[in-house]
Amino acid sequence: MLGAGGVVGQAYHAGVLAALEHDLGWDPRTADVIVGSSAGSVTGSLLRLGVSASDLAAWAVEAPLSVEGAPMMEQLGGRGEEPDFPLPSPLDLLRPWRLPPVALLRRVAARPWAFRPTTSAMTMLPAGRIDIVEKAEVLHAISGDAWPDGLWICAARRRDGGRVVFGRPGAPYAPLGRAVAASCAIPGYFAPVRIGNVSYFDGGVYSPTNADVLREERLDLVVVVSPMSAAGGVARSADAPLRFLAHRKLQAEVGRLKSRGTPAVTFEPGPRSVPVMGLNAMATDRSDRVVQTAFLEAGRRAALGSVADRLRPLVRRPGRLRAQP
């Protein structure tokens, strides 16, 4: 499970996954299912397309890539360059908001206990003006028309805030690039992404991790990487309340997994990573430091007795890379 967190979150993913690869000898590409939300949808797609965790980390810190990983990563282009997205402006929120969509009202009336105030509010925000689809189309160019096996990408429908998991059996069809763009489309900043006749926005708005989508899969272990929360729910930073709420939501989702007999191990930013990650999730000037602190924190956590016991199935599990499309 790879959670949301912007550019900084992608660097955190790279550090944690590289630590698991280095310390345990486990290749995250061998996971039966990889689920990504927002930033995690980019990292998850790259893993499923054959990029190793060590190459993800090397890319983030601008270190040399492996012979196998270099050709694919170079297709992404722009390593070390800042994305050409303009800074968000508070004035964008002064544009006319939408009235509550009828589909949202029906959803709340039918399941009031499942009401999510934040997600519901996002359905009413003015549509963002920046088109993110073109940026994500490079993933479709790499993958071709085939959807990578075992990849699930979470997004939210703009009409009612409901969660959609592209790639899961029974989900609507979506080209990979558009599904990733939808999962990353921050409401009010990026334009909603249209797939078929439905508009979607950032899956991280529904949940920073969406870990509970695996509760019916009967897996040996679920490894959750959650850049937006904080270890133990405690952070000494201005975004501490948001990190606490993300931690609480993650704990609830992990509880649903455990209730179905599926163990889980979580990796959340600790006291060294949180200050380095900062408040701007789209910052491009700290990826190297985030990778380094995440690598060290994840290594220490993986070595803890109780955590090491739960991670042992990964070490015992024979490597089985899925074929690239």
Side-chain angles (χ1 to χ4, degrees):
M1 304 294 313
L2 302 171
V7 174
V8 173
Q10 286 179 250
Y12 184 78
H13 288 315
V16 172
L17 296 176
L20 295 178
E21 181 183 88
H22 179 271
D23 293 0
L24 302 181
W26 177 63
D27 190 333
R29 295 175 294 179
T30 66
D32 289 301
V33 185
I34 297 177
V35 183
S37 301
S38 197
S41 72
V42 179
T43 302
S45 295
L46 292 174
L47 288 172
R48 269 298 183 250
L49 292 174
V51 179
S52 69
S54 55
D55 274 331
L56 290 175
W59 179 265
V61 303
E62 300 184 50
L65 299 167
S66 70
V67 174
E68 297 78 14
M72 184 175 298
M73 294 302 287
E74 293 299 340
Q75 291 186 59
L76 299 178
R79 183 154 77 145
E81 299 176 5
E82 295 189 8
D84 55 358
F85 298 133
L87 292 173
S89 171
L91 297 178
D92 289 337
L93 298 179
L94 298 181
R95 292 184 288 119
W97 285 47
R98 305 168 74 206
L99 292 173
V102 174
L104 172 64
L105 298 176
R106 288 174 177 167
R107 183 181 178 87
V108 173
R111 302 182 64 202
W113 60 88
F115 175 62
R116 291 172 176 254
T118 302
T119 308
S120 300
M122 295 300 102
T123 68
M124 294 178 273
L125 277 177
R129 299 179 180 181
I130 303 170
D131 188 354
I132 196 178
V133 172
E134 184 178 351
K135 295 290 184 183
E137 280 300 321
V138 65
L139 292 172
H140 182 68
I142 295 172
S143 67
D145 293 329
W147 183 274
D149 188 25
L151 175 66
W152 294 5
I153 292 177
C154 299
R157 288 188 301 264
R158 191 178 183 226
R159 68 172 182 243
D160 63 358
R163 179 170 60 192
V164 175
V165 185
F166 294 110
R168 184 166 64 175
Y173 167 77
L176 179 61
R178 281 196 167 264
V180 171
S183 187
C184 294
I186 302 170
Y189 181 60
F190 291 121
V193 175
R194 198 161 185 83
I195 300 175
N197 295 319
V198 180
S199 292
Y200 298 90
F201 59 69
D202 197 323
V205 172
Y206 187 90
S207 165
T209 49
N210 290 293
D212 54 348
V213 300
L214 290 174
R215 62 187 180 276
E216 303 294 340
E217 297 305 303
R218 300 182 182 277
L219 299 170
D220 299 320
L221 179 71
V222 174
V223 177
V224 187
V225 187
S226 176
M228 290 184 65
S229 59
V234 179
R236 295 181 178 179
S237 58
D239 61 350
L242 296 177
R243 288 190 175 277
F244 172 76
L245 291 174
H247 172 79
R248 288 290 300 272
K249 186 169 288 187
L250 171 59
Q251 292 299 103
E253 292 172 354
V254 168
R256 295 185 195 109
L257 291 174
K258 292 180 178 178
S259 70
R260 299 300 177 94
T262 300
V265 173
T266 59
F267 290 89
E268 303 172 85
R272 294 190 180 182
S273 289
V274 169
V276 174
M277 295 174 78
L279 302 179
N280 180 9
M282 301 303 289
T284 58
D285 61 350
R286 62 202 63 180
S287 292
D288 54 348
R289 289 173 291 153
V290 172
V291 169
Q292 291 165 10
T293 54
F295 182 92
L296 294 173
E297 282 189 341
R300 283 192 293 271
R301 177 161 175 75
L304 293 175
S306 60
V307 177
D309 288 342
R310 281 176 283 164
L311 289 172
R312 195 161 290 121
L314 300 181
V315 183
R316 293 199 306 262
R317 192 173 190 271
R320 181 167 57 87
L321 293 180
R322 294 179 182 274
Q324 295 185 30

